Amino acid sequence: MIVLYAPAFVPSSNGIRIWYTLAGLCVAAGLPVRIVCFEKRHIDFPVPEHVAREVQIAYKDEEEIVIGKDDIVVYPETVSDNPLAARRCVRYLLNNPIVLTGKGIRYGCMDYIVTYSNLIAPLFSMRQFFILNDDLAEFEKYRHEKKIEGAVLYFGKINRKKVSAMFNEAQKFLGTTKIVGVFTRGIPSSRDELFQKIAEAKLLISFPAKSK
């Protein structure tokens, strides 16, 4: 059994969505898979229907989690140790360790390490496993022929200390072009509304990952 130790599902996070996409890929490959969520379930954000139908999902705060001796547990880089006491561990690094949590990883001597991008720990030779959440088809239903004159700014995992400086840089870059919207990973809370606002604007400026 492959056990994915993952956060609760949130549609606005590409990183979190990747874990649920990975579960679906395991099912498609005929591999037994289970998701163990280390966060409380989000009532407002149900797990995608096709994943909920095909994958067993357990929540640590709702039930006791038992791991078999032959189970392979896949941990994200935000987990610094081995909370499920698994004998076989895979570390799937979607980001550089420490960046999001401030904590390093206490690797086991037999841990297998895979990275999402070759930009992660580029000085080390590690296998890369890139998963694309392709939203292009979803954007089609928001297509607008008539656009609002102006630009929208999108900040991902926002670093609040840097936003003011980046906003000022954007204003200088745009000159007389009006900024008609500023959005982040959490604002607006609805993914549907975010896509709608982006599609309406004539120009989108998206800042680098983690907006540092």
Side-chain angles (χ1 to χ4, degrees):
M1 173 75 73
I2 295 174
V3 179
L4 305 180
Y5 195 70
F9 183 77
V10 177
S12 61
S13 169
N14 183 63
I16 292 176
R17 288 171 58 213
I18 282 171
W19 287 92
Y20 292 80
T21 301
L22 176 57
L25 292 175
C26 289
V27 170
L31 301 173
V33 61
R34 178 188 188 197
I35 295 175
V36 173
C37 290
F38 54 82
E39 298 176 335
K40 292 183 178 181
R41 70 172 75 223
H42 296 306
I43 297 176
D44 295 333
F45 303 126
V47 173
E49 186 178 339
H50 68 282
V51 177
R53 183 175 58 248
E54 299 174 339
V55 180
Q56 179 188 355
I57 302 176
Y59 293 83
K60 278 190 73 178
D61 67 321
E62 297 179 8
E63 60 183 280
E64 182 181 0
I65 306 299
V66 178
I67 299 298
K69 65 178 183 178
D70 294 325
D71 288 348
I72 299 173
V73 176
V74 186
Y75 289 118
E77 80 286 347
T78 53
V79 175
S80 59
D81 49 11
N82 181 8
L84 297 183
R87 296 175 61 179
R88 301 181 178 186
C89 297
V90 173
R91 305 284 180 173
Y92 187 24
L93 310 182
L94 272 66
N95 202 335
N96 283 303
I98 302 178
V99 169
L100 297 179
T101 64
K103 297 180 180 179
I105 297 175
R106 293 191 290 273
Y107 297 100
C109 61
M110 297 299 290
D111 286 4
Y112 188 79
I113 304 172
V114 184
T115 64
Y116 172 74
S117 165
N118 58 14
L119 297 178
I120 298 170
L123 297 179
F124 299 91
S125 179
M126 289 185 284
R127 292 186 180 275
Q128 181 184 351
F129 183 41
F130 176 78
I131 297 174
L132 174 66
N133 280 322
D134 189 353
D135 293 324
L136 287 179
E138 190 172 349
F139 266 108
E140 280 299 318
K141 65 182 180 182
Y142 300 95
R143 185 179 291 279
H144 284 262
E145 295 301 326
K146 293 183 179 180
K147 300 283 188 176
I148 297 174
E149 289 293 335
V152 297
L153 310 184
Y154 178 77
F155 298 90
K157 294 179 179 176
I158 193 166
N159 184 327
R160 295 182 183 277
K161 295 180 180 178
K162 300 286 186 180
V163 170
S164 179
M166 289 187 290
F167 184 86
N168 291 336
E169 287 179 16
Q171 283 186 313
K172 292 178 182 178
F173 172 76
L174 290 168
T176 58
T177 302
K178 184 180 179 181
I179 295 175
V180 296
V182 179
F183 306 114
T184 69
R185 178 180 168 185
I187 302 173
S189 58
S190 163
R191 193 161 179 257
D192 181 74
E193 184 180 354
L194 173 63
F195 282 11
Q196 182 73 34
K197 295 294 185 182
I198 289 175
E200 288 175 351
K202 209 164 191 179
L203 175 65
L204 165 68
I205 298 179
S206 180
F207 288 83
K210 299 179 288 302
S211 295
K212 287 184 176 273

